[in-house]
Amino acid sequence: NKLLDSQMTDSKGRYAFLLGPSEYYAVFEKEGYQSTQVRPIDLRNEQSAQDFAVDVELHPHLSADAEKYESEV
């Protein structure tokens, strides 16, 4: 695994990548939220580069009190 590119979203949370024929995965991170991974992104059978975009829902980190409550329930 190696980092190929890093993107910042625009003000509406949108981004775009152009990916060549290969297999990839994407990690979505924002401070205060749980990171999310999308894998596999399998473009090995493609003949040319493809645009990549996916809708991802990020969930806020639970506070310490919420985590304690969740473990007790």
Side-chain angles (χ1 to χ4, degrees):
N1 294 335
K2 67 179 181 176
L3 179 63
L4 296 179
D5 200 353
S6 180
Q7 294 280 334
M8 297 288 289
T9 63
D10 67 11
S11 63
K12 294 183 179 182
R14 298 176 298 198
Y15 64 93
F17 280 101
L18 189 60
L19 300 175
S22 194
E23 186 173 342
Y24 303 92
Y25 71 94
V27 179
F28 300 87
E29 298 176 318
K30 180 177 172 85
E31 189 174 327
Y33 290 81
Q34 299 172 15
S35 66
T36 299
Q37 286 192 17
V38 174
R39 64 172 58 209
I41 303 164
D42 189 355
L43 302 175
R44 291 176 290 182
N45 293 325
E46 299 296 330
Q47 299 300 314
S48 60
Q50 303 290 312
D51 289 324
F52 171 75
V54 65
D55 289 330
V56 175
E57 184 176 342
L58 296 178
H59 301 282
H61 281 294
L62 295 175
S63 68
D65 290 337
E67 288 178 9
K68 181 179 177 189
Y69 174 77
E70 288 288 323
S71 67
E72 292 175 355
V73 174

